[in-house]
Amino acid sequence: MNITSTDRIEKQIQLRAPQSRVWRALTDAEEFGTWFGVKLEGRFVLGAQTRGKITYPGYEHLTMEVEVERMEAEALFSFRWHPYAIDPKVDYSGEPSTLVEFRLESVDEGTLLRVVESGFDRLPAHRRDEAFRMNDRGWAQQLVSIERHVAG
Amino acid sequence: MSRAEAISPARVKDAAPLFAALGDATRLGLLVSLCASGPLSVTRLSSKFAVSRQAITKHLDVLTEAGLVRSSRQGRERIWEFEPKRLEDAHQVLERLSRQWDDALDRLKAFVERG
């Protein structure tokens, strides 16, 4: 749960669900979108890009784009992205991205999921600034929608 | 959420040049040296790195701009020292992104454990 440097974020969480269930929630683009909050077009395909619109009210004009880097059945799923919702009018392809890795491991109680996002130190300063500002508003909004969803 | 919201957009914006300043091996090395040995002159610093005095001075300027080091004149030499306060800001910004992952993973947990 600790931040080990300014370059990476590491997380782990224990899920009371079988490894195959967690794998599907991560690698099926539609399921991923359900909990993450994005409507992805098409499937996650190794080496290919998938993009989709953020689904939060007021943020539908923003797009998320990921490029799948590794898919090792039920064990490792990773993609690169620009770590925030992006402006569809801007070409980000030449800019550094961060790498998000999901590692799954079967444990007695279900599945241990480890997540590492790395590469923050290489992001251009002005994008970082933009990312933080967008995330700030975007995620606060996201929490409100979840609350509404759970309560409703 | 209260903790994350405690960081204003202005402070976040403020932290951007900090990350840029840290994203270079020589500059990180300079920072580590100043951390470990205390205040040093450019002459002493250049003896530790395989780059020119001019390059060291340039890097120190970037670090100064980001508020990570400060210098003072002692006789004919300028002495550089580490300014620790700014590093806390970098951690706070990353901590915010870290918290966003916590929230996303909580939603994943609710999603896969449901039914």
Side-chain angles (χ1 to χ4, degrees):
Chain A
M1 292 290 163
N2 292 322
I3 294 164
T4 53
S5 72
T6 56
D7 189 60
R8 59 203 274 133
I9 291 171
E10 294 187 37
K11 297 284 158 193
Q12 71 174 48
I13 189 169
Q14 195 139 321
L15 304 165
R16 285 187 303 275
Q19 197 168 346
S20 56
R21 176 71 196 94
V22 178
W23 179 253
R24 198 170 73 238
L26 293 171
T27 57
D28 178 302
E30 202 179 326
E31 291 209 4
F32 180 93
T34 305
W35 63 269
F36 196 88
V38 57
K39 189 163 177 51
L40 293 165
E41 300 158 9
R43 301 178 301 128
F44 285 131
V45 178
L46 197 63
Q49 284 193 352
T50 309
R51 55 191 300 161
K53 284 185 181 302
I54 303 291
T55 51
Y56 303 106
Y59 293 84
E60 292 92 341
H61 61 293
L62 297 176
T63 301
M64 170 175 144
E65 191 174 274
V66 309
E67 183 171 330
V68 178
E69 194 161 282
R70 288 170 80 179
M71 256 176 143
E72 295 169 16
E74 300 198 357
L76 171 63
F77 175 53
S78 68
F79 57 72
R80 293 197 155 274
W81 69 353
H82 300 283
Y84 42 94
I86 60 172
D87 180 346
K89 293 189 288 291
V90 178
D91 178 17
Y92 295 83
S93 54
E95 292 189 1
S97 52
T98 56
L99 175 66
V100 178
E101 294 169 287
F102 297 92
R103 288 174 200 274
L104 292 70
E105 191 185 319
S106 187
V107 291
D108 283 348
E109 306 77 13
T111 306
L112 180 66
L113 174 66
R114 290 195 184 85
V115 183
V116 176
E117 180 170 5
S118 57
F120 288 103
D121 285 348
R122 286 191 302 276
L123 295 184
H126 64 286
R127 285 285 176 247
R128 255 179 188 281
D129 172 24
E130 193 174 288
F132 296 142
R133 268 189 291 115
M134 281 178 152
N135 275 333
D136 185 27
R137 289 159 56 218
W139 287 88
Q141 183 71 40
Q142 195 159 357
L143 283 180
V144 173
S145 343
I146 300 304
E147 250 170 23
R148 203 175 293 145
H149 179 73
V150 172
Chain B
M1 228 19 230
S2 57
R3 183 83 190 270
E5 276 169 355
I7 309 170
S8 71
R11 286 197 67 189
V12 170
K13 183 175 177 175
D14 210 36
L18 177 56
F19 283 98
L22 291 171
D24 176 277
T26 306
R27 285 198 292 273
L28 264 184
L30 285 169
L31 212 53
V32 169
S33 285
L34 291 175
C35 254
S37 357
L40 290 173
S41 66
V42 175
T43 314
R44 290 287 302 280
L45 280 169
S46 2
S47 70
K48 291 168 176 271
F49 294 88
V51 289
S52 69
R53 271 183 68 115
Q54 287 82 351
I56 295 280
T57 305
K58 259 189 191 157
H59 283 307
L60 287 169
D61 286 343
V62 176
L63 290 170
T64 306
E65 195 74 17
L68 287 164
V69 300
R70 60 164 182 250
S71 66
S72 56
R73 197 162 273 287
Q74 278 182 19
R76 282 164 52 196
E77 281 217 295
R78 192 165 274 285
I79 304 296
W80 295 85
E81 83 188 281
F82 175 52
E83 178 81 273
K85 204 197 143 290
R86 280 308 299 271
L87 270 188
E88 290 165 21
D89 296 344
H91 270 289
Q92 272 183 316
V93 171
L94 210 67
E95 202 173 295
R96 167 202 292 270
L97 285 181
S98 169
R99 215 160 287 270
Q100 290 166 358
W101 269 116
D102 286 338
D103 295 337
L105 293 178
D106 281 348
R107 292 195 303 276
L108 171 65
K109 187 176 172 69
F111 182 69
V112 296
E113 291 182 358
R114 183 176 69 193

